[in-house]
Amino acid sequence: MPKQPRKEPRKKPDNSVAFHTNMQNRSDISTTQTVKKIFCRKVPKFDCNSNRKTAQKRKRRDTGADLTVEWIKLPNSVYYNSYKFAKVGNIYINQGDNVLVAPEENDDPQIAHVSYMFEDLETNEKLCHAHFYIRGKDTILGEESDPKELFLVDHCEDIPLQRVQEKVKVHKSEFSRSWHLDGGKDSDEKNKNETNDNGDGKDYFFSKRYDYNQSRFIDFIDNESRCISCFWEEEENTFNTPIYREKSFPESSYIEWKNEKYTVGSAIYIDYEREELNIKPKEVAEENYYTLENLDGDWVWMTKLDRQIIFPERYRKFEKKYESEYIACEPYTVGIIEKITANNKRVSIKVREFYRPEDIGKGQYGDPYLLYWTNCIYTIGNFKKWSEVVKGKCYISNKEHISDIYQWVQEGPSRFYFEEFYDPRTEKIKELPSDAQNIGSKRRRTVGGYNAESAVAWPTLENKLNCLDIYAGCGGLSDGLEKSGLVNVKWAIEINEAAAKSFQLNNPGAVVLQENCNTILSLLKEGKGQSVKMPKKGEVDIIVGGPPCQGYSVINRFKNTTNSNGNNSQIMTYLGFIDYYRPKYFIYENVRNFVNFDKTDYLKRTFKCLLAIGYQISFGVLQAGNYGLPQNRRRFFVVGAAPGLTLPKLPNPTHCFGRFQRNIQSIKVDKFFYDIGDNAMGALGSLPRRTVTIRDAIYDLPYISYDTMTTEMPYNDDGLQSHYARQLRQYCNKSDVVKDHECNPVSALIKKRIQMIPENGNWTDLPNVAITLEDGTQTELMKYCYRTKNQKENTAPRGMCQCVQGDPCNKTHKDIRYRTIIPWSIAHTADRNAEWKNVYGRLQWDGYFGTITTNPEPSRTQGRVIHPDQHRIVSVREYARAQGFHDEYIFVGNTREKYKQIGNAVPPILALAIAREIINAVLTDKRKKNLQNLK
Ligand SMILES: [Zn+2]
Ligand SMILES: [Zn+2]
């Protein structure tokens, strides 16, 4: 029976529990007209052929050379060779006109803005300075774009006026003052932009600048007096070019770069060619004779033949190459500017290098905030190399001057401390020289020594933004945003009961609706939003969320029909919320593969909707590991800003992670690559800090086993807390206990297998033994009856099914064994699946987590989930640590539901990094406003 809307008055919601509105779930999509029009339109493709034909026709007319060009009227008074009017053939061109320009190659004519016109005094050539637009189809929107929509790009050129073919109209779309309240209206407003297409192809509109390098669509302020593309280029050059500023006191001279000052005493990241760190898995030579083997707790001497029989799958480790997942690049070297000198304009900079714990043999993964003072000096002799070598600013202090080092390093970006002097020549630790001792001291020293800079703190906001989290899950995204100080999470919608309750428990002040987002949007559109405590238009400053994307085949259906009944596309609902509320900012999150859904149509239509509503957008794939998480997790993000605001950037990576990080962060759409366009990532792939490891993430959590019944217990505090653990424990009291430190029970067979996996091992380390399990059942032996094709002689048979010889698998399944310690189906398919190296894989203390999924199962193939040295899978709390949840964050539901909530979440630490960029954008706008008020 279908649910009926309830009739009795709704009870006042209990603030400790998310409330269910008990609304009828509507199966049709709730969204707004703008969104619907773009997502549901029938075969949208414009006719490329007709365009091409006209282009060819024009081209013939416009080889151009025979056209006469004359100047009209007198030269401008300011520059005697500059002109405001010209006649090209029989067309009159004014400065400021938009024109079609004959293409240089076999392509459509280009569209350009005539910034100014002038005569080359040497060649007498009549030229115009053209600033180019690109067509929507040449952006990431591709064929989904409106054929009338143009984008301004950073490209201008002096071209001969003969190349001008004709004038065209290009309107700038402006957004009304009441834009933020106009959302969701089913008006024809957008039609203003869609100019009457009478087929002459001469009317276009635009509103945004397209920045391919940074993957952004952004607003800009037009500058009537000059070419804005030249202005952008100049601005960028000024920003990127270091300038030496000489002062009368040599020690006060400084370098100005990227809006920052670098003086003697400034600490910097430097990146120069080093031998690539290549941590290969240890090659263990398989000995021919006796080895001591651990067999279910007993140490047994085994011969090579014994080993082949007891561990029949282990050969896979030695004969086939495993590629380590944990190959990471080295972080930047930290240095402090010791001296800046200039002789005959030749600027040279002496930098004292610091060493990291790794550099002095203190293990692979030392304290990522700790440095050693050294007597190594690196000289940047060629000032032109500055931008290649210097990767930005950091802040250092002698530990002596800081009361709580763990707190201090969390309070701002790029902070490091040191307490010892390491001499690489003698490999000895020495006492710090007095210069070094004073670094970080509150007492300012001006004479001699370093005038070290005090560390900057994270930016903060006076007025936090009101946040609505949709598809909120248990609240990972919201949590990171709140901890950054960007938002107050006031409203959240989440359909899953346990997740909604978790959200409410951790955000007692928020209105949490346990409901379908679709249903809530329909209510809003009917004007009934307040009945469920939803905000009014204008009350939401930021909307965040990641709609689940199971419905990527939906568009295919729309392609053949405009009827959207019965389809349920969460992305359209998400966009509907954005259009309805029109918040100042939004954050959209999805799986990395969102990009490829429906051959990238989904992505393009999403962008098209957001642009049509008026938003500026930054997009890209962020790798959680690059932002200080011990996890390989790539997610697609779009950050948007309302028209006229400063568009936040996506955050620059801060932590080394993986070897091919650059490539895997890019997305490819229609043959073009897009990435987040950061400047900080060096060519060598170095970044400020090392990878966060599993040791950092979970070492301080207490021992548990499957028999541990309690889920709350004291921490394992032996003074070995990592910075990461301290960061996640910063909101806990000293007396606090670990919560949610529990794991899913497993069957006796799986439990036994886990027990038998050695450190760093996986399923290939399991012995082939018949034993009695703790539930009294018996395991069966695997039978290896077939020799594989390329098996060496005098080795025991390795195939357990006749398919290893190229025959089809036995139809009667006579080869299959059940309840074997070595999982039969895994061994059966291992050859075809890169040995299934993660199956029953133990996590490695010095490695990181694979992508956290909604259900950690050791027999699954996605990632290792067995604890590094305890005989169990990772606990809920360990899972939460992998996702960067603070320890005070607790979860509602049974163990399975808790894992699922965590697996579905956006890592709070990643959300924090995004939030800080939004804070920067808010502050930029605030400064701009203050400046305007001064004027
Ligand atoms: Zn220009
Ligand atoms: Zn087979």
Side-chain angles (χ1 to χ4, degrees):
M1 209 177 86
K3 263 194 216 159
Q4 292 299 314
R6 72 200 255 175
K7 298 218 171 67
E8 69 268 25
R10 195 165 288 108
K11 267 190 244 153
K12 206 173 164 222
D14 173 1
N15 245 4
S16 65
V17 184
F19 67 94
H20 196 289
T21 59
N22 228 355
M23 224 67 64
Q24 191 178 12
N25 275 348
R26 297 156 206 232
S27 58
D28 56 330
I29 299 169
S30 181
T31 187
T32 61
Q33 282 302 316
T34 313
V35 177
K36 208 172 216 168
K37 224 158 95 184
I38 289 168
F39 260 83
C40 308
R41 89 204 127 107
K42 241 180 177 177
V43 194
K45 316 258 182 322
F46 56 89
D47 190 350
C48 306
N49 286 332
S50 79
N51 246 21
R52 197 153 297 141
K53 257 179 241 153
T54 36
Q56 273 162 4
K57 237 181 272 161
R58 286 195 194 109
K59 219 171 292 156
R60 223 167 290 130
R61 158 190 172 318
D62 276 307
T63 40
D66 50 337
L67 285 180
T68 56
V69 179
E70 328 162 23
W71 296 125
I72 315 287
K73 293 192 183 169
L74 293 170
N76 289 355
S77 53
V78 188
Y79 304 107
Y80 64 95
N81 64 331
S82 122
Y83 299 84
K84 281 197 168 166
F85 307 99
K87 191 180 175 199
V88 181
N90 49 14
I91 307 167
Y92 290 89
I93 307 290
N94 295 3
Q95 180 180 319
D97 277 346
N98 292 300
V99 292
L100 282 186
V101 176
E104 280 179 315
E105 275 162 36
N106 214 11
D107 208 349
D108 288 344
Q110 292 165 287
I111 300 162
H113 178 84
V114 177
S115 293
Y116 53 88
M117 294 181 280
F118 65 103
E119 186 155 325
D120 185 315
L121 293 177
E122 278 173 21
T123 61
N124 287 336
E125 211 177 353
K126 295 180 174 66
L127 301 166
C128 89
H129 187 78
H131 178 197
F132 291 92
Y133 299 94
I134 57 171
R135 294 166 203 269
K137 73 179 169 64
D138 297 320
T139 68
I140 193 167
L141 299 171
E143 73 283 358
E144 287 288 331
S145 66
D146 188 319
K148 293 285 173 191
E149 182 159 21
L150 304 178
F151 295 91
L152 214 45
V153 285
D154 307 22
H155 175 203
C156 57
E157 245 179 75
D158 293 332
I159 57 164
L161 271 163
Q162 278 93 342
R163 273 180 66 197
V164 172
Q165 297 177 320
E166 60 185 301
K167 290 213 256 192
V168 291
K169 282 187 195 136
V170 181
H171 317 264
K172 184 159 189 209
S173 325
E174 302 286 354
F175 297 95
S176 75
R177 279 178 165 271
S178 62
W179 176 86
H180 65 291
L181 295 175
D182 290 345
K185 286 186 187 159
D186 303 343
S187 69
D188 290 334
E189 193 195 351
K190 283 323 291 177
N191 293 343
K192 273 191 288 179
N193 289 333
E194 289 158 20
T195 51
N196 300 324
D197 190 359
N198 52 17
D200 68 357
K202 287 181 190 175
D203 277 9
Y204 300 92
F205 71 93
F206 84 105
S207 76
K208 300 271 187 285
R209 167 186 176 194
Y210 178 60
D211 181 352
Y212 171 78
N213 292 324
Q214 306 258 342
S215 301
R216 308 204 295 166
F217 290 91
I218 40 179
D219 286 340
F220 61 93
I221 297 162
D222 215 345
N223 185 337
E224 290 292 323
S225 61
R226 60 178 303 195
C227 169
I228 196 158
S229 177
C230 288
F231 172 74
W232 290 335
E233 194 186 328
E234 199 181 293
E235 211 179 28
E236 205 180 304
N237 282 343
T238 320
F239 184 75
N240 286 322
T241 313
I243 297 165
Y244 172 65
R245 305 277 184 199
E246 192 156 15
K247 297 283 160 187
S248 43
F249 293 109
E251 58 269 33
S252 322
S253 300
Y254 62 91
I255 290 153
E256 204 175 284
W257 187 53
K258 297 193 175 180
N259 297 337
E260 286 188 296
K261 261 188 189 181
Y262 290 79
T263 62
V264 169
S266 291
I268 53 176
Y269 290 120
I270 43 184
D271 192 15
Y272 50 86
E273 199 78 41
R274 298 183 177 221
E275 264 175 49
E276 204 178 328
L277 185 71
N278 201 343
I279 316 156
K280 279 201 179 126
K282 277 179 216 130
E283 300 244 348
V284 187
E286 212 182 349
E287 290 153 63
N288 270 324
Y289 223 54
Y290 287 96
T291 52
L292 198 53
E293 299 287 345
N294 183 349
L295 184 58
D296 198 16
D298 292 329
W299 290 94
V300 186
W301 286 101
M302 286 185 197
T303 64
K304 186 179 174 183
L305 191 64
D306 291 341
R307 287 195 302 270
Q308 278 182 16
I309 291 165
I310 303 291
F311 298 103
E313 299 291 343
R314 208 196 253 169
Y315 70 93
R316 295 177 189 275
K317 279 197 170 166
F318 303 99
E319 290 183 8
K320 317 225 170 155
K321 284 229 163 75
Y322 271 82
E323 205 183 317
S324 172
E325 287 170 37
Y326 307 134
I327 301 166
C329 56
E330 264 186 69
Y332 296 137
T333 299
V334 173
I336 184 166
I337 298 178
E338 182 108 347
K339 207 169 188 186
I340 305 174
T341 51
N343 286 324
N344 295 327
K345 304 269 166 201
R346 211 188 130 88
V347 182
S348 122
I349 299 108
K350 280 207 162 80
V351 182
R352 180 180 299 271
E353 287 182 26
F354 285 87
Y355 275 25
R356 303 214 187 213
E358 296 89 316
D359 301 327
I360 71 165
K362 292 219 165 181
Q364 194 65 55
Y365 297 102
D367 179 344
Y369 298 87
L370 175 64
L371 299 174
Y372 290 85
W373 179 271
T374 72
N375 43 9
C376 301
I377 302 290
Y378 176 78
T379 306
I380 306 171
N382 183 353
F383 192 45
K384 284 183 187 149
K385 295 260 176 188
W386 171 277
S387 330
E388 272 173 48
V389 176
V390 180
K391 297 295 165 191
K393 220 173 217 191
C394 48
Y395 305 92
I396 49 176
S397 176
N398 178 357
K399 194 181 175 190
E400 210 175 273
H401 306 301
I402 300 158
S403 55
D404 183 341
I405 206 74
Y406 298 98
Q407 198 187 331
W408 181 77
V409 296
Q410 299 299 338
E411 285 169 352
S414 292
R415 296 184 176 199
F416 294 91
Y417 68 96
F418 63 93
E419 51 184 339
E420 287 174 319
F421 172 14
Y422 176 77
D423 183 347
R425 276 167 303 188
T426 59
E427 300 186 357
K428 293 250 160 64
I429 297 284
K430 296 181 185 171
E431 202 185 319
L432 282 177
S434 60
D435 270 7
Q437 284 179 19
N438 287 317
I439 290 177
S441 163
K442 295 281 182 312
R443 285 166 295 151
R444 271 187 93 70
R445 293 170 51 87
T446 46
V447 186
Y450 300 95
N451 208 349
E453 288 171 283
S454 39
V456 301
W458 295 113
T460 51
L461 290 186
E462 276 168 42
N463 302 310
K464 293 182 183 175
L465 305 180
N466 292 328
C467 178
L468 162 63
D469 193 341
I470 57 180
Y471 304 98
C474 65
L477 185 49
S478 274
D479 188 52
L481 301 179
E482 276 223 337
K483 296 232 157 72
S484 74
L486 172 70
V487 305
N488 270 325
V489 178
K490 291 212 165 166
W491 312 273
I493 310 171
E494 169 54 45
I495 181 91
N496 177 277
E497 187 184 348
K501 282 185 172 158
S502 291
F503 196 106
Q504 186 74 82
L505 188 62
N506 292 284
N507 297 275
V511 173
V512 182
L513 300 178
Q514 190 217 318
E515 192 50 86
N516 187 335
C517 290
N518 210 27
T519 312
I520 301 293
L521 186 59
S522 336
L523 276 183
L524 287 169
K525 285 171 63 191
E526 289 160 22
K528 296 178 189 157
Q530 269 157 313
S531 66
V532 287
K533 290 200 164 187
M534 282 298 281
K536 291 187 219 143
K537 280 184 184 182
E539 289 179 347
V540 182
D541 298 316
I542 179 167
I543 292 182
V544 302
C549 219
Q550 72 279 55
Y552 53 87
S553 59
V554 169
I555 282 179
N556 280 328
R557 275 176 264 160
F558 286 141
K559 274 188 173 158
N560 307 318
T561 168
T562 50
N563 176 12
S564 64
N565 280 342
N567 292 313
N568 185 2
S569 171
Q570 307 287 355
I571 172 71
M572 286 173 66
T573 304
Y574 179 93
L575 293 167
F577 268 94
I578 299 288
D579 190 21
Y580 180 83
Y581 278 116
R582 302 211 171 171
K584 291 181 183 138
Y585 306 95
F586 69 81
I587 302 173
Y588 169 81
E589 181 260 359
N590 219 304
V591 292
R592 190 232 164 270
N593 237 4
F594 173 79
V595 173
N596 303 101
F597 283 163
D598 206 35
K599 295 179 184 147
T600 71
D601 276 5
Y602 236 83
L603 171 85
K604 290 168 180 168
R605 290 187 187 196
T606 301
F607 283 180
K608 197 180 168 191
C609 276
L610 292 166
L611 291 167
I613 297 167
Y615 278 97
Q616 316 172 63
I617 53 177
S618 292
F619 60 92
V621 170
L622 303 183
Q623 163 62 271
N626 278 140
Y627 298 89
L629 280 135
Q631 188 195 160
N632 174 19
R633 184 186 192 86
R634 289 180 296 153
R635 284 294 185 272
F636 177 71
F637 283 91
V638 185
V639 172
L645 297 179
T646 294
L647 176 65
K649 291 186 172 179
L650 291 179
N652 279 339
T654 48
H655 290 66
C656 298
F657 193 83
R659 191 194 214 171
F660 305 109
Q661 52 179 347
R662 256 211 103 84
N663 298 337
I664 59 174
Q665 261 188 202
S666 298
I667 54 173
K668 191 181 170 199
V669 178
D670 298 341
K671 293 180 200 146
F672 291 100
F673 285 92
Y674 299 85
D675 62 33
I676 58 169
D678 73 282
N679 304 314
M681 190 129 58
L684 304 172
S686 283
L687 285 165
R689 300 201 196 274
R690 68 162 171 83
T691 310
V692 174
T693 65
I694 286 174
R695 189 189 307 279
D696 294 325
I698 64 171
Y699 193 76
D700 63 316
L701 295 174
Y703 171 88
I704 53 166
S705 74
Y706 284 117
D707 307 320
T708 307
M709 295 310 284
T710 167
T711 62
E712 294 190 0
M713 61 204 81
Y715 285 93
N716 172 26
D717 273 324
D718 51 5
L720 282 173
Q721 278 176 55
S722 67
H723 284 268
Y724 185 79
R726 280 176 193 263
Q727 185 184 353
L728 298 189
R729 284 171 63 175
Q730 64 182 307
Y731 301 100
C732 298
N733 299 321
K734 277 238 166 72
S735 57
D736 267 3
V737 290
V738 189
K739 293 176 183 125
D740 293 327
H741 194 32
E742 62 196 51
C743 42
N744 252 346
V746 292
S747 71
L749 177 59
I750 293 178
K751 204 164 159 183
K752 193 72 201 170
R753 284 175 181 159
I754 290 174
Q755 263 177 33
M756 289 176 148
I757 307 276
E759 278 189 42
N760 301 340
N762 67 4
W763 71 276
T764 63
D765 292 300
L766 290 170
N768 190 20
V769 287
I771 46 176
T772 309
L773 300 174
E774 66 173 27
D775 61 356
T777 58
Q778 191 75 21
T779 66
E780 204 181 341
L781 280 180
M782 287 271 271
K783 291 226 167 80
Y784 292 89
C785 311
Y786 305 93
R787 294 188 69 79
T788 62
K789 278 196 222 155
N790 37 21
Q791 199 180 335
K792 277 186 213 145
E793 276 171 46
N794 72 28
T795 46
R798 287 173 176 177
M800 78 298 289
C801 169
Q802 63 188 28
C803 63
V804 296
Q805 292 165 338
D807 301 325
C809 294
N810 190 307
K811 285 241 173 69
T812 61
H813 299 290
K814 77 170 167 74
D815 289 328
I816 299 182
R817 291 288 170 277
Y818 303 91
R819 300 193 63 78
T820 48
I821 289 284
I822 298 173
W824 193 91
S825 59
I826 295 296
H828 181 228
T829 49
D831 284 343
R832 285 164 265 155
N833 293 285
E835 320 300 331
W836 292 126
K837 62 184 167 133
N838 289 330
V839 172
Y840 282 96
R842 269 199 196 273
L843 294 160
Q844 301 180 17
W845 283 122
D846 288 340
Y848 47 78
F849 290 91
T851 309
I852 292 296
T853 61
T854 52
N855 182 13
E857 278 210 31
S859 55
R860 294 246 180 120
T861 56
Q862 306 100 320
R864 296 168 174 248
V865 294
I866 304 176
H867 188 278
D869 55 27
Q870 297 173 26
H871 297 321
R872 60 174 174 85
I873 61 166
V874 286
S875 74
V876 170
R877 179 50 57 197
E878 286 159 346
Y879 228 48
R881 286 277 183 96
Q883 281 276 62
F885 276 97
H886 287 78
D887 279 15
E888 94 290 355
Y889 212 90
I890 43 180
F891 304 91
V892 178
N894 61 34
T895 311
R896 202 167 275 277
E897 287 170 319
K898 290 177 182 181
Y899 281 123
K900 190 174 173 196
Q901 289 167 36
I902 296 169
N904 277 329
V906 176
I909 288 188
L910 182 55
L912 190 76
I914 296 168
R916 283 181 176 141
E917 290 297 333
I918 302 178
I919 292 177
N920 282 334
V922 174
L923 292 175
T924 304
D925 283 338
K926 200 178 159 196
R927 274 193 296 273
K928 274 189 198 161
K929 215 172 173 184
N930 287 346
L931 272 178
Q932 269 169 8
N933 290 346
L934 280 177
K935 281 176 194 166

